[in-house]
Amino acid sequence: MRFLLVILCVTTALYCCADNDMTNRSQLDVASEKMLGYINVIPLDSTAIPRSLEEDGSLITGNSRQWTSGFFPGTLWQLYSYSQNDSIKKAAEDWTAFIEKEKYDDHTHDLGFKLNSSFGKAYAITENEAYKNVVITASKTLINRYNENIGSIRSWDWNADVWQFPVIIDNMMNLEMLFDATRFTGDSTFHHIATQHALTTNEHHYRADNSCFHVVDFDTTTFEPRLKTTHQGYSDESAWSRGQAWGLYGFTVAYGRTGNDIFLDRAKKSAQYIYNHPNLPEDKIPYWDFNAPNIPDEPRDVSAATVTASALLELIRYDQENTDWYLSWTDQILESLATDKYQSNIAPFLLLHSTGSVPGEFEVDQPIVYADYYYIEALLRRDAIK
Ligand code: GLY
């Protein structure tokens, strides 16, 4: 659902502060201050959870069913963990509560995006058992989408005329919740399914050059891939930027939770692919697809950069040989994002220039909530390393 609001610009000097010298902590201070202003002007509404902006500047929102519903509350939780500000905590609690009912929705694979980003973060920060129980229930729901013959969790149910059992690279991001569910319950089923899903994705989504397809569709009779295609990328054979970042992040988590070297190798190769691509701009903020036809006149995707930065700051823990490289790369990303070019003063967004879907013609070169979520996660991880 789209809900029109007047553009809400926060105009005090405090918020117009980005400069090239902002440290990671000052980026967190600025983000916390911005968010304190924003929560007073975004009405609390379960049907209007912030997501992005229309081209005319009106706010795009939706109810808890949208795949992005967990990111705004998750950003609030993370900023609360940094600032310890009670108003931000109250907003985090209120927006998070709207999403709980999604824990029973078995028509989507996006349960990790929705519930781990919100309830999972809430539990990690507060240790409130009620939040943990929501993550466990959501995990029980999600594993109903697992096909043991294919070895994957089904992504989408729509477009059934074309796809039989589509699995998108984004689905790697739902595994962390399953690994956590085993940690919380002692039931290894979740861990086993997450591990097998990652093995299957490693086998079938990746190309010889270490880029990945967006969508792999499996035959429900033979259990083999029948189509390798895209939905949000430039072409079936292109490297959709956020997809590369989802893969890097997902395989880093999978290695961290399993110790399986196949996953570490995949994460390292994904990082190499992204960093060494000739179309990665000097400021390290990717275009929306590495093979977009009109580079450099193509929209950027800041969300691909923030997912990458957060993933690299986790990968540092497992791949010590490349620590200096990962750190300098993430610092380049975070320094770029600290500049006026990328900083947003439009409520409730922290960053500009993300791209949802060029083929779908929505959220192109706009602020988007998930870019902010991974931005704050990256800043917190970077801050913890110092
Ligand atoms: N998971 C959908 C996207 O990355 O746009």
Side-chain angles (χ1 to χ4, degrees), residues 51 67-68 109-110 113 156 168 170-171 214 232 240 242-243 246 303 355-357 362-363 370:
R51 174 172 173 150
W67 78 274
T68 55
H109 74 138
D110 286 325
F113 279 127
W156 292 325
I168 64 174
D170 321 29
N171 205 345
H214 183 199
Q232 281 157 271
W240 175 50
R242 192 162 59 258
W246 289 146
S303 74
T355 293
S357 176
F362 63 86
E363 298 167 342
Y370 45 84

Side-chain angles (χ1 to χ4, degrees), residues 287 294-299:
Y287 297 99
N294 299 311
I295 289 171
D297 299 320
E298 293 280 356

Side-chain angles (χ1 to χ4, degrees), residues 81-156:
S81 79
Y82 175 74
S83 66
Q84 295 294 301
N85 182 286
D86 286 337
S87 300
I88 295 179
K89 184 183 188 191
K90 176 77 171 69
E93 288 169 345
D94 290 346
W95 286 100
T96 297
F98 295 150
I99 302 165
E100 179 168 353
K101 60 179 181 291
E102 299 309 317
K103 67 187 179 184
Y104 297 121
D105 183 4
D106 62 3
H107 295 291
T108 176
H109 74 138
D110 286 325
L111 291 169
F113 279 127
K114 295 178 195 180
L115 292 149
N116 207 36
S117 304
S118 52
F119 283 85
K121 279 287 187 223
Y123 177 65
I125 290 163
T126 65
E127 297 184 0
N128 177 336
E129 295 283 308
Y131 292 136
K132 180 171 88 173
N133 291 334
V134 172
V135 168
I136 294 168
T137 303
S139 299
K140 287 179 182 165
T141 304
L142 179 58
I143 61 174
N144 289 323
R145 298 180 67 80
Y146 180 67
N147 180 314
E148 65 181 7
N149 293 310
I150 293 170
S152 273
I153 298 163
R154 181 182 180 128
S155 290
W156 292 325

Side-chain angles (χ1 to χ4, degrees), residues 36-229:
L36 262 175
Y38 291 163
I39 56 181
N40 292 323
V41 294
I42 299 291
L44 189 65
D45 182 344
S46 65
T47 67
I49 302 168
R51 174 172 173 150
S52 181
L53 285 186
E54 294 280 16
E55 266 177 44
D56 66 6
S58 57
L59 189 62
I60 300 174
T61 64
N63 63 24
S64 58
R65 288 201 67 185
Q66 62 177 342
W67 78 274
T68 55
S69 62
F71 292 116
F72 182 56
T75 300
L76 290 166
W77 278 117
Q78 294 184 101
L79 287 175
Y80 163 66
S81 79
Y82 175 74
S83 66
Q84 295 294 301
N85 182 286
D86 286 337
S87 300
I88 295 179
K89 184 183 188 191
K90 176 77 171 69
E93 288 169 345
D94 290 346
W95 286 100
T96 297
F98 295 150
I99 302 165
E100 179 168 353
K101 60 179 181 291
E102 299 309 317
K103 67 187 179 184
Y104 297 121
D105 183 4
D106 62 3
H107 295 291
T108 176
H109 74 138
D110 286 325
L111 291 169
F113 279 127
K114 295 178 195 180
L115 292 149
N116 207 36
S117 304
S118 52
F119 283 85
K121 279 287 187 223
Y123 177 65
I125 290 163
T126 65
E127 297 184 0
N128 177 336
E129 295 283 308
Y131 292 136
K132 180 171 88 173
N133 291 334
V134 172
V135 168
I136 294 168
T137 303
S139 299
K140 287 179 182 165
T141 304
L142 179 58
I143 61 174
N144 289 323
R145 298 180 67 80
Y146 180 67
N147 180 314
E148 65 181 7
N149 293 310
I150 293 170
S152 273
I153 298 163
R154 181 182 180 128
S155 290
W156 292 325
D157 293 345
W158 60 280
N159 212 14
D161 292 350
V162 178
W163 296 321
Q164 293 184 12
F165 191 99
V167 179
I168 64 174
I169 189 67
D170 321 29
N171 205 345
M172 285 298 299
M173 299 298 286
N174 294 307
L175 305 185
E176 187 169 18
M177 181 176 76
L178 297 183
F179 288 124
D180 281 345
T182 289
R183 189 160 57 87
F184 296 154
T185 62
D187 180 349
S188 62
T189 310
F190 307 104
H191 185 101
H192 166 75
I193 288 174
T195 303
Q196 186 54 56
H197 180 97
L199 286 168
T200 305
T201 302
N202 179 60
E203 187 178 348
H204 294 303
H205 272 73
Y206 281 85
R207 308 177 178 116
D209 69 356
N210 294 314
S211 65
C212 65
F213 290 95
H214 183 199
V215 185
V216 174
D217 184 41
F218 290 87
D219 189 306
T220 49
T221 309
T222 65
F223 314 122
E224 293 298 321
R226 57 184 286 279
L227 283 175
K228 295 193 178 189
T229 180

